Amino acid sequence: METRLALIGIIVGNREGTSKLNELLHAYGKYIIGRMGVPYKGKEINVISIIIDAPQDVINALSGKLGMIDNVSTKTIYPPLPQ
């Protein structure tokens, strides 16, 4: 099955949703290439970047599930497709 590379940016507004978020990331772990989290204590938020290489439907499912967690915002970006 063809896979795509994507970057999922996640902003967590408070720590209440982090256990659900971590459970999801663990469940999709076989597709995740890298993860970087940066706590921004001055604003009491956490910023997480996920690099994923997966089929399009898997990326959409993960991004959608992450976006349904309270106080979590996500945005998925993709590199340009070859012409």
Side-chain angles (χ1 to χ4, degrees):
M1 180 175 280
E2 185 176 334
T3 63
R4 290 200 65 192
L5 186 68
L7 172 71
I8 302 176
I10 305 165
I11 297 180
V12 182
N14 66 35
R15 299 189 61 90
E16 291 175 17
T18 55
S19 63
K20 176 85 172 170
L21 183 139
N22 284 322
E23 287 175 22
L24 278 172
L25 296 180
H26 179 73
Y28 286 84
K30 69 179 182 179
Y31 301 107
I32 295 175
I33 297 170
R35 170 183 176 172
M36 180 181 67
V38 179
Y40 186 6
K41 293 178 183 175
K43 300 284 185 181
E44 296 183 9
I45 62 172
N46 293 291
V47 181
I48 303 168
S49 298
I50 304 295
I51 302 167
I52 186 169
D53 187 4
Q56 184 71 55
D57 59 336
V58 171
I59 296 169
N60 292 341
L62 175 57
S63 183
K65 290 175 183 176
L66 289 169
M68 291 173 49
I69 300 171
D70 289 338
N71 296 308
V72 173
S73 298
T74 67
K75 183 71 175 180
T76 304
I77 58 175
Y78 300 90
L81 290 174
Q83 299 285 331

